[in-house]
Amino acid sequence: MSPRTPPPPYVEGHGLLAGRTAVVTAAAGAGIGGATARRLLEEGARVLISDAHARRLKETETALAAEFGADQVAAQTCDVTDETQVQALYDTAIRLHGGLDVLVNNAGLGGTAPLVDMTDEQWNRVLDVTLTGTMRCTRAALRHFRETGRAGVIVNNASVVGWRAQAGQAHYAAAKAGVMALTRCAAVEAAAYGVRVNAVAPSLAMHPHLVKVTSAELLDELTAREAFGRYAEPWEVANVIVFLAGDYSSYMTGETVSVSSRHP
């Protein structure tokens, strides 16, 4: 088992995204989406957060607006399995800020089920949210970027499970592997009009929802495999998303960056 090392100090913002507008899906709560919204705000961006859970979304909007200002934060309920709601999200970004510069596709759905017992409904639900939902949001953003000539950036949230085998995760792993492939293909197409598309692949980032859907035994096992002997803080994943969204990654597209300390 690897020795446990404490998380590093929180990294302060440096205005890397000042003046830009970002949309983050599944941003309510304390997970990677919420941490990403906060990091984008700390880097000077205006942020439109979305989530399928209206109450949690409103709570997140209220908290962020109190800290960063109501003119910097807005919210729009969006279920990424519904094309009408996806389009409404972009309409809101256009209405409030004239468009968008950064899209972070964070919405995803997991679950655990052995493939031999998995139902079509379980498979289709995970794929619809995690892969097809990412496609819907990416497609809408690319249409906006192409029509407006904005050299935007898309960052997708994949997972190391898209590379690694894990029992009970066939649907989630297939969806995340699909997100990686979608990222590569979209990047090749979007390069013609100056848009970059990349992805992050976290291994284990702890947040309350993960605790609810994963056994303590499995979390202990996964944590023990990490080189640092600990899980990632959601903001550590968000830091990499900010890097991919900003100008320091200007020559990167079609890449999936592993955010993991896992050793072989």
Side-chain angles (χ1 to χ4, degrees):
M1 180 174 176
S2 301
R4 288 184 178 271
T5 59
Y10 193 82
V11 180
E12 301 301 322
H14 293 80
L16 300 177
L17 297 169
R20 301 183 195 182
T21 297
V23 171
V24 185
T25 65
I32 292 173
T36 298
R38 172 174 292 277
R39 294 300 300 159
L40 292 169
L41 287 162
E42 290 169 344
E43 295 296 346
R46 297 178 297 267
V47 178
L48 173 60
I49 58 174
S50 77
D51 203 283
H53 302 279
R55 179 186 58 80
R56 292 198 330 226
L57 180 64
K58 184 61 179 177
E59 292 172 351
T60 303
E61 178 192 17
T62 300
L64 291 175
E67 185 172 351
F68 296 97
D71 58 334
Q72 292 296 106
V73 184
Q76 172 78 40
T77 305
C78 179
D79 178 347
V80 298
T81 68
D82 185 329
E83 175 64 20
T84 300
Q85 293 187 42
V86 169
Q87 190 55 57
L89 179 63
Y90 291 90
D91 291 343
T92 298
I94 293 168
R95 175 175 55 82
L96 293 177
H97 304 299
L100 72 149
D101 303 291
V102 176
L103 166 66
V104 179
N105 279 314
N106 178 65
L109 180 67
T112 300
L115 184 59
V116 68
D117 297 319
M118 189 178 295
T119 65
D120 282 5
E121 182 180 4
Q122 288 174 304
W123 174 273
N124 290 334
R125 178 61 177 162
V126 169
L127 269 288
D128 195 17
V129 174
T130 307
L131 176 55
T132 310
T134 299
M135 182 280 295
R136 290 186 187 99
C137 292
T138 297
R139 179 176 60 192
L142 290 178
R143 287 171 176 170
H144 171 71
F145 292 143
R146 183 179 62 181
E147 292 166 6
T148 62
R150 296 170 82 120
V153 179
I154 298 172
V155 185
N156 297 323
N157 192 357
S159 169
V160 295
V161 178
W163 290 314
R164 303 171 185 166
Q166 186 171 315
Q169 296 293 307
H171 46 0
Y172 186 69
K176 291 300 190 179
V179 169
M180 296 177 185
L182 171 67
T183 297
R184 293 191 295 269
C185 293
V188 170
E189 295 180 13
Y193 37 98
V195 174
R196 298 188 296 110
V197 187
N198 290 293
V200 296
S203 57
L204 184 63
M206 189 57 66
H207 54 85
H209 180 67
L210 183 63
V211 174
K212 292 179 182 178
V213 299
T214 309
S215 69
E217 293 77 15
L218 179 57
L219 287 176
D220 288 343
E221 177 187 344
L222 294 174
T223 301
R225 295 178 187 175
E226 297 293 323
F228 292 136
R230 66 172 177 88
Y231 49 79
E233 300 293 334
W235 61 263
E236 293 181 286
V237 180
N239 284 346
V240 182
I241 292 173
V242 165
F243 164 71
L244 293 173
D247 295 337
Y248 283 123
S249 59
S250 60
Y251 199 66
M252 291 179 65
T253 197
E255 297 295 331
T256 298
V257 180
S258 174
V259 188
S260 171
S261 70
R262 181 172 173 178
H263 52 77

